[in-house]
Amino acid sequence: MRPIDHAQQALITAIVRGEYPVGTALPGERDLAAQLGVTRPTLREALRRLEADGWLIIQHGKSTLVRNYLHEGGLNVLNGIVQYSRDLPPDFVPNLLQVRLDLAPSYTRLAIMNAPHVLISVLKAHKTLPDTPHAYAHYDWQLHHTLTVQSGNPIYALILNGFADFYEYLAETHYFQHDVARQASAAFYAELLSHVQAGDVDEAAALTQRVMAASITLWEMIHQTS
Amino acid sequence: MRPIDHAQQALITAIVRGEYPVGTALPGERDLAAQLGVTRPTLREALRRLEADGWLIIQHGKSTLVRNYLHEGGLNVLNGIVQYSRDLPPDFVPNLLQVRLDLAPSYTRLAIMNAPHVLISVLKAHKTLPDTPHAYAHYDWQLHHTLTVQSGNPIYALILNGFADFYEYLAETHYFQHDVARQASAAFYAELLSHVQAGDVDEAAALTQRVMAASITLWEMIHQTS
DNA sequence: GTTTATCAACTGGTCTGACCAGTTGATGAT
DNA sequence: ATCATCAACTGGTCAGACCAGTTGATAAAC
């Protein structure tokens, strides 16, 4: 692992585990670099990334502080939480699905109004999807990404991209493993396609709303015991 | 202006203006540093920030590329767009308000269910608000931030924080300047308070939905000519 | 002539150690 | 007791060297 990635990994891990609690000061850069086994310039590059993501508050002359990242951080902190914490917070995925439920009907509606032909070609592709978790996870991400981009409101895509690093991974390993999940999504893709072809925007948005809500229920059903 | 900020400013400005078009390669770090009048380590810290925000794709051995930031970037690119482009994209604020419309009813509902007492104390504070754009902008941001944090779903707060750098500024200078906007918000705060006190979560969510939608109409009414 | 190995010249990545520049609290003068 | 001063933190920047992937031109092999 590259020095800068090692430094970033070590810092986020330490922060997430509370070894550097929120609000406290990090060791000085010279000490910290020595502890992590990297040099100061390398450490500083890592610190700049963490600062940009909302993990840290860096101020000239003062100690670098651990930010209250869950309250004041940026969307990128989710990547760190997924990648570097031992196990996900229990409600992580339901929280994610809840936000998707809020947004998906809107960006789906807009995308259909703006670029129905694009969506039709994307949605037709689902018919040739192999019935594997990997294929479904990849396709599902692509679909939502296309929808947000085609919505014409860039903010939808920018928000969705905050989930880019783990959406496919979590979907493949924890959701589309289950036959019912793949079947539910396949039905959704087919039905959405027919609504788009029929030009029925309202029905498409309503369908999306129902399916996004159902996916939360489905997730919780799947994971009620495990 | 500090060298690193100057470098960041210059790079984002150049990218936004298309001087470094999406998909093209940046000059090598040695050249680029010289052009910007900073040294390579300083430039690299700036590049790391831009990479974290989704402006750039950096790969060892290859040229650094300008990312398709509107399609693949993170929420932080909005800060860059607001700060460094001459004037905002025409639909910028309506797009922002549209996303808020999607999310606010949900996080308001959750916040009321989780922590009604917190909201009551925050909402009561509105009664002593001076009738100034600055006071309203600050209060409005604080309210939404409180709502997202109290919702119990951290993702709402993380998304909202993507707007932190310009929400107050834009609200103060382009929205709450207008008496009707302040009056509308004051009425909203009062009505929301009464619903929270009455424990009527559904009515509070519905109200939020109506007001967020109305704020888009109001914005467009205000800015139809200017 | 075509193919394949090699290597030079890019690119970014890291290290070294020095010095600049804000911040803070202890020290000492008033 | 108060206030200026300054030493010792902190992060910020500079300098130049060298390490490490990538790429395409060159030359060797077929």
Side-chain angles (χ1 to χ4, degrees):
Chain A
M1 188 178 246
R2 288 191 162 43
I4 189 176
D5 294 318
H6 167 250
Q8 168 162 351
Q9 207 265 8
L11 287 170
I12 294 182
T13 303
I15 292 173
V16 169
R17 295 189 184 165
E19 294 165 25
Y20 294 130
V22 165
T24 62
L26 249 52
E29 294 181 353
R30 292 156 183 86
D31 289 348
L32 193 50
Q35 288 176 27
L36 298 175
V38 301
T39 55
R40 227 184 126 203
T42 302
L43 169 64
R44 282 179 58 83
E45 289 188 25
L47 292 175
R48 289 301 189 192
R49 293 213 287 215
L50 298 194
E51 181 193 29
D53 287 346
W55 295 98
L56 300 176
I57 300 172
I58 302 178
Q59 304 170 82
H60 190 180
K62 302 182 180 180
S63 290
T64 293
L65 303 177
V66 178
R67 197 169 195 152
N68 188 344
Y69 52 92
L70 281 182
H71 290 178
E72 294 160 23
L75 254 190
N76 286 153
V77 305
L78 293 180
N79 295 329
I81 291 173
V82 173
Q83 288 187 251
Y84 301 127
S85 67
R86 289 184 189 285
D87 26 44
L88 290 181
D91 280 338
F92 187 87
V93 173
N95 283 341
L96 207 60
L97 294 176
Q98 183 182 32
V99 171
R100 192 179 68 161
L101 166 60
D102 289 333
L103 299 174
S106 286
Y107 62 64
T108 301
R109 155 176 259 121
L110 290 168
I112 295 174
M113 299 192 312
N114 285 336
H117 43 292
V118 175
L119 298 187
I120 288 173
S121 88
V122 171
L123 285 168
K124 277 184 176 171
H126 100 269
K127 294 174 183 172
T128 64
L129 255 197
D131 188 36
T132 64
H134 179 266
Y136 268 74
H138 182 68
Y139 181 80
D140 200 60
W141 170 259
Q142 288 297 332
L143 174 60
H144 281 281
H145 191 255
T146 303
L147 288 169
T148 55
V149 167
Q150 296 299 332
S151 74
N153 181 342
I155 301 178
Y156 287 122
L158 300 180
I159 291 175
L160 193 75
N161 286 338
F163 312 145
D165 289 352
F166 51 83
Y167 187 104
E168 260 186 79
Y169 167 73
L170 288 179
E172 176 177 348
T173 59
H174 289 79
Y175 187 71
F176 286 122
Q177 290 288 340
H178 302 269
D179 293 357
V180 279
R182 293 198 303 282
Q183 286 160 16
S185 287
F188 169 56
Y189 304 146
E191 210 172 332
L192 184 57
L193 174 58
S194 75
H195 288 320
V196 177
Q197 286 175 321
D200 196 337
V201 180
D202 289 333
E203 200 46 54
L207 167 69
T208 305
Q209 208 275 338
R210 285 198 306 276
V211 172
M212 297 299 108
S215 71
I216 302 180
T217 311
L218 186 53
W219 172 275
E220 285 172 344
M221 209 174 66
I222 292 172
H223 293 80
Q224 58 189 357
T225 57
S226 61
Chain B
M1 189 180 249
R2 286 193 163 44
I4 189 176
D5 294 318
H6 167 250
Q8 167 161 352
Q9 208 265 7
L11 287 170
I12 294 182
T13 303
I15 293 173
V16 168
R17 295 189 184 165
E19 296 165 23
Y20 294 130
V22 165
T24 62
L26 249 52
E29 294 181 351
R30 292 157 182 86
D31 288 348
L32 193 50
Q35 287 176 28
L36 298 174
V38 301
T39 55
R40 227 185 126 204
T42 302
L43 169 64
R44 283 180 58 82
E45 290 188 26
L47 291 175
R48 289 300 189 192
R49 294 212 287 214
L50 297 194
E51 181 194 28
D53 287 347
W55 295 97
L56 299 175
I57 300 173
I58 303 178
Q59 305 170 84
H60 190 177
K62 302 181 181 180
S63 289
T64 294
L65 303 177
V66 178
R67 196 170 199 153
N68 188 342
Y69 52 91
L70 281 182
H71 289 178
E72 294 160 23
L75 255 189
N76 285 153
V77 305
L78 293 180
N79 295 330
I81 291 173
V82 173
Q83 287 187 254
Y84 300 127
S85 67
R86 289 183 190 287
D87 27 42
L88 289 182
D91 280 338
F92 186 87
V93 173
N95 283 341
L96 207 62
L97 295 175
Q98 182 183 34
V99 171
R100 192 179 69 162
L101 166 60
D102 289 333
L103 299 174
S106 285
Y107 61 64
T108 301
R109 156 176 259 119
L110 290 168
I112 294 174
M113 298 192 311
N114 285 336
H117 44 290
V118 175
L119 298 188
I120 289 174
S121 89
V122 171
L123 285 168
K124 277 185 175 169
H126 100 270
K127 294 174 182 171
T128 63
L129 257 195
D131 189 36
T132 65
H134 179 267
Y136 267 74
H138 182 69
Y139 180 81
D140 200 59
W141 169 259
Q142 288 297 334
L143 174 60
H144 281 279
H145 191 255
T146 303
L147 289 169
T148 55
V149 167
Q150 296 299 332
S151 74
N153 182 343
I155 301 178
Y156 286 122
L158 299 180
I159 291 175
L160 192 75
N161 286 340
F163 313 143
D165 288 353
F166 50 82
Y167 187 104
E168 259 187 80
Y169 167 73
L170 288 179
E172 174 177 348
T173 58
H174 289 79
Y175 187 71
F176 285 122
Q177 291 288 340
H178 303 268
D179 294 356
V180 278
R182 293 198 302 281
Q183 285 159 16
S185 288
F188 170 56
Y189 303 146
E191 209 172 332
L192 184 58
L193 174 58
S194 75
H195 289 319
V196 176
Q197 286 175 322
D200 196 337
V201 181
D202 289 333
E203 200 46 55
L207 167 69
T208 304
Q209 208 275 339
R210 285 198 306 274
V211 172
M212 296 299 108
S215 72
I216 302 180
T217 310
L218 186 53
W219 172 275
E220 285 170 344
M221 208 173 68
I222 291 172
H223 292 81
Q224 58 187 357
T225 56
S226 59

